[in-house]
């Protein structure tokens, strides 16, 4: 490989790394931790997630929401989640600053509290706790990180094939400088392939251009849902009754969901998601309603997914490693920790070289 070309690549790799290293470190640590969100919640929040099992039916969303409105009359529901697959799982209602858990048999409040530390970890990962500005910084830092992974692979490739074996192993008996270099170079090589997948699936959430690439390769367009003809209700129902009607109607028409969530989107649409048992691509029916009237606007059914829809349905589970169960999560976490180590080992390499040049 041309020495001049490799020198240019090394400079690009260096300065991009120095510019985004801290952000990559933070995103990687929080991402690696949030991979195990479900397991952590199950282990530490059982008292709020479940109540003793009873041979009783679900009391209904109207009763649960009615109790919520009495407890917090000024709060607006942002997300409502029902775990259909477990009869004794509490109903979760998230407002702006609080989360409420209700007994599914009686509708009584089980727990009320602020957003937990895992939600903070998620916010740091997605926005750096800086709102829209943080989102902008985060997504472009990931774009830069992708370029760094590619330039890192170029730099890793040995000048001679006889040195290939040396580039694939860490010389643990070497000096601190050599071990640090190998940790950056060798671990970076092994993790780069996974990190490229994790980074690109993360960018899928952030950029419509990435979704367009997925559409190009699948030969299909990501659908927003089939428009459903629906008459506007003559009478506008109270929120509790409206939500309960929508939930019950969808459960009757599309039974078998393991979780159901209702959320209000920025544009004013009400989104109802129903997730069904799945192995690879997420089996999810999504319905969009007019928030004020409850009129069905459009529906996106997993049985009608095209290629681009399947990519979207698989993306989150691929990003977090959960697509391959617990082993996939462990591998994703290890890759994230390796990603967090790269700015540290890279900075040490740069400081060592800078110090050496100072004394020449």
């Amino acid at each position: 490989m041309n020495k001049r070309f490799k020198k240019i690549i090394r400079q690009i790799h260096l300065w991009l790394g120095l510019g985004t290293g801290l952000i990559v470190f933070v995103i990687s640590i929080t991402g690696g931790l949030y991979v195990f969100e479900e397991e952590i919640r199950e282990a530490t929040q059982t008292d709020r997630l479940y109540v003793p099992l009873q041979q009783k039916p679900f009391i209904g969303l109207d009763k649960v929401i009615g109790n919520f409105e009495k407890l917090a009359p000024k709060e607006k529901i942002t997300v409502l989640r029902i775990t259909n697959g477990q009869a004794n799982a509490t109903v979760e209602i998230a407002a702006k600053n609080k989360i409420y858990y209700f007994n599914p048999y009686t509708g009584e409040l089980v727990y009320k509290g602020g957003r937990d530390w895992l939600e903070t970890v998620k916010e740091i990962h997605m926005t750096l706790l800086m709102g829209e500005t943080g989102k902008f910084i985060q997504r472009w830092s990931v774009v830069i990180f992708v370029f760094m992974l590619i330039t890192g692979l170029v730099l890793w490739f040995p000048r001679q094939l006889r040195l290939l074996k040396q580039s694939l192993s860490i010389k643990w008996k070497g000096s601190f400088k050599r071990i640090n270099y190998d940790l950056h170079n060798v671990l970076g090589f092994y993790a780069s392939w996974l990190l490229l997948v994790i980074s690109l699936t993360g960018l899928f959430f952030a950029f419509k251009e990435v979704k367009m690439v997925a559409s190009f390769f699948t030969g299909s367009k990501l659908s927003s849902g089939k428009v459903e003809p629906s008459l506007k209700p003559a009478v506008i129902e109270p929120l509790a009754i409206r939500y309960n009607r929508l939930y019950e109607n969808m459960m009757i028409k599309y039974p078998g969901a393991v979780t159901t969530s209702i959320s209000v989107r920025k544009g004013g649409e009400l989104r109802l998601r129903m997730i069904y048992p799945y192995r690879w691509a997420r089996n999810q029916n999504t319905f969009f309603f007019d928030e004020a009237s409850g009129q069905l606007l459009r529906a996106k059914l997993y049985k009608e997914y095209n290629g681009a829809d399947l990519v979207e349905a698989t993306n989150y589970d691929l990003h977090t490693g959960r697509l391959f169960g617990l082993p996939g999560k462990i591998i994703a976490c290890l890759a994230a920790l390796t990603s967090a180590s790269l700015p540290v080992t890279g900075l040490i390499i740069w400081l060592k070289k800078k110090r050496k040049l100072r004394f020449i």
Side-chain angles (χ1 to χ4, degrees):
M1 186 180 294
N2 187 286
K3 287 185 179 181
R4 180 179 173 79
F5 173 74
K6 205 161 187 177
K7 185 177 180 180
I8 293 171
I9 293 295
R10 184 174 287 108
Q11 289 299 308
I12 293 172
H13 186 81
L14 168 64
W15 293 109
L16 288 180
L18 291 175
T20 62
L22 180 59
I23 298 169
V24 169
F25 178 84
V26 171
I27 293 172
S28 300
I29 291 293
T30 52
L33 181 58
Y34 199 76
V35 160
F36 297 107
E37 175 229 358
E38 292 176 322
E39 288 78 6
I40 294 171
R41 290 192 193 282
E42 287 286 336
T44 62
Q45 300 180 1
T46 305
D47 57 334
R48 71 184 73 166
L49 295 178
Y50 303 99
V51 296
L53 186 64
Q54 298 181 42
Q55 298 302 316
K56 292 181 180 180
F58 176 46
I59 194 171
L61 271 189
D62 51 343
K63 304 292 192 303
V64 173
I65 295 174
N67 286 341
F68 166 78
E69 290 176 333
K70 290 175 184 176
L71 287 167
K74 295 182 179 180
E75 293 272 20
K76 289 186 178 181
I77 296 173
T78 55
V79 180
L80 189 155
R81 187 173 290 106
I82 307 149
T83 306
N84 310 104
Q86 293 175 278
N88 65 328
T90 53
V91 179
E92 177 187 338
I93 293 181
K96 186 177 181 180
N97 298 311
K98 297 283 184 181
I99 299 181
Y100 302 76
Y101 296 86
F102 293 89
N103 189 308
Y105 305 116
T106 65
E108 296 175 348
L109 180 69
V110 173
Y111 178 86
K112 178 182 79 169
R115 298 297 179 100
D116 64 18
W117 65 275
L118 281 168
E119 285 298 315
T120 302
V121 167
K122 181 182 177 182
E123 280 300 306
I124 294 172
H125 183 71
M126 296 177 65
T127 71
L128 306 172
L129 297 181
M130 295 169 64
E132 291 299 319
T133 301
K135 281 185 181 180
F136 178 85
I137 296 170
Q138 186 257 23
R139 63 182 60 174
W140 283 104
S141 294
V142 176
V143 171
I144 291 171
F145 184 60
V146 169
F147 280 105
M148 288 186 63
L149 290 172
I150 295 170
T151 55
L153 288 171
V154 172
L155 293 172
W156 169 87
F157 199 85
R159 294 177 183 176
Q160 300 176 17
L161 288 178
R162 65 183 179 84
L163 300 175
L164 183 61
K165 185 178 179 180
Q166 182 178 312
S167 299
L168 292 170
S169 59
I170 299 172
K171 192 175 181 181
W172 294 108
K173 293 182 179 180
S175 64
F176 171 78
K177 181 180 177 181
R178 178 54 191 262
I179 293 172
N180 182 76
Y181 177 82
D182 283 351
L183 287 173
H184 187 82
N185 199 44
V186 179
L187 286 185
F189 168 74
Y190 286 121
S192 286
W193 310 100
L194 280 173
L195 292 174
L196 279 170
V197 173
I198 292 171
S199 299
L200 291 173
T201 51
L203 293 176
F204 187 92
F205 298 116
F207 293 99
K208 64 180 181 180
E209 290 81 5
V210 180
K211 295 178 181 179
M212 290 170 63
V213 171
S215 297
F216 173 79
F217 281 107
T218 59
S220 55
K221 187 178 180 181
L222 193 64
S223 62
S224 58
K226 183 180 178 182
V227 177
E228 293 285 337
S230 176
L231 295 175
K232 188 174 182 178
V235 179
I236 302 298
E237 303 162 313
L239 184 143
I241 295 174
R242 183 165 71 250
Y243 278 26
N244 186 65
R245 173 177 61 82
L246 299 179
Y247 170 71
E248 289 188 343
N249 286 347
M250 292 302 109
M251 286 297 291
I252 292 170
K253 193 172 181 180
Y254 302 97
V258 292
T259 60
T260 303
S261 65
I262 299 174
S263 58
V264 180
R265 306 179 81 197
K266 286 184 178 180
E269 285 184 329
L270 191 70
R271 178 172 60 191
L272 189 150
R273 285 176 166 173
M274 305 174 75
I275 299 177
Y276 298 81
Y278 68 95
R279 179 63 186 91
W280 299 110
R282 179 174 294 193
N283 292 338
Q284 176 177 287
N285 287 341
T286 308
F287 305 93
F288 300 89
F289 301 88
D290 178 79
E291 200 277 329
S293 67
Q295 178 185 3
L296 180 61
L297 302 175
R298 63 187 194 280
K300 187 171 181 177
L301 308 180
Y302 72 86
K303 291 182 178 179
E304 299 175 356
Y305 281 174
N306 58 37
D309 293 330
L310 286 171
V311 171
E312 181 185 49
T314 310
N315 190 71
Y316 178 79
D317 291 342
L318 187 58
H319 182 68
T320 58
R322 64 186 292 174
L323 189 69
F324 305 102
L326 184 59
K329 288 186 174 185
I330 293 171
I331 292 170
C333 180
L334 291 174
L337 293 178
T338 302
S339 172
S341 76
L342 294 178
V344 177
T345 53
L347 179 63
I348 293 172
I349 292 171
W350 178 67
L351 289 174
K352 290 282 185 181
K353 285 186 176 181
K354 191 177 180 183
R355 183 180 178 186
K356 183 179 178 181
L357 289 171
R358 188 182 299 169
F359 290 99
I360 292 176

